[in-house]
Amino acid sequence: MKLTKKAAAAMLAMAMMASLAACGGSAEETTAATTTAAAAETEAEAEEAVTEAETEAETEGEATEAAGGVIVMGTNAEFEPWEYHDGDAIVGIDPEIAQAIADKLGMELQIEDMAFDAIIPSVVSGKCDFAMAGMTVTEERKVSVDFTDTYAESSLVLLVQADNTEITGPDSLADHKVGAQTGTTGDLTATELVGDGNVERYNSFFEAVQSLKQGKIDAVLLDSAPAKVFLSQNEDLKQAGDAMNKEEYAIAVQKGNTELLDQINGAIDELQADGTIDEIMNKYIPAE
Ligand code: ARG
């Protein structure tokens, strides 16, 4: 859709008004401006946001073309097979499902790669419209964001060096150094199991695994599918014990954004029903 700057600004303003009038409107209106409006506490602030949105639409030129249709996903692309870098591209299960959702919503998907523990704050602040990062639904996260229906299941597993005979599962972890990516459920669970002082936190699970291979830590606690990828690439590692728990992955949106939540849930529903999500999942996670 090619819009003149003026029309785009007007549309943005309308989108703002619609969202102020308690979330009326369609997918196209879920733009940065809408989220700004939702965050605006008073009418004055909201009006300021409209003006800002107009100015932005005017100064961004080309970008105005997509002003009504870009949806921004926050992720951390260090988590194969869920999301990872392939050259310049960010690929994996989540980007593919997100693309399918964006297609259903008639929006253009834009992916923002960031540290895992920056993702939820980016949704809270409205920098991203949604988070999709192999992200587990937890009570703690539910305090700051709303989760869609779940689209996948996972569990935590322990990786150790292949010749390790001491660690046979979570019960034998005491006093051992456990590594995880900062802010993940692996980090939180490790902290519960061995105490804060015995947990080493890394920017990515890749770094944690390197550290394990070098013998700097004794184990890494992480999600099952990425663990499988590491095991297939590192013969000097093995899994200790069985999967520890059950976790569910879902997409996070800004608290109270029921409009976007419903739209994404609708899309997930359809993509589950027609087999698209299974198909994407099977492509990246080969059956046993
Ligand atoms: N499922 C875990 C969690 O939610 C780990 C997710 C890590 N995701 C990533 N893209 N690095 O905490």
Side-chain angles (χ1 to χ4, degrees), residues 75-79 82-83 94 116 119 132-138 141 154 156 181 183-186 188 205 223 247 249:
T75 197
N76 168 255
E78 307 280 351
F79 202 55
W82 297 100
E83 46 266 323
D94 288 339
F116 183 75
I119 298 175
M132 192 173 192
M135 185 175 280
T136 305
V137 178
T138 69
R141 290 172 183 163
S154 176
L156 289 175
Q181 183 179 29
T184 58
T185 49
L188 304 173
F205 277 114
D223 304 54
E247 301 193 347
Y249 291 171

Side-chain angles (χ1 to χ4, degrees), residues 157-159 173 176-182 184 186-187 190 194 198-202 204-205 207-209 211-212 216-222:
V157 302
L158 268 177
L159 293 186
L173 267 188
H176 287 291
K177 289 241 174 286
V178 183
Q181 183 179 29
T182 308
T184 58
D187 174 2
V194 296
N198 283 317
V199 178
E200 293 291 333
R201 300 181 174 90
Y202 301 87
S204 66
F205 277 114
E207 286 168 56
V209 164
S211 197
L212 172 63
K216 291 181 185 159
I217 53 175
D218 306 305
V220 173
L221 188 54
L222 78 170

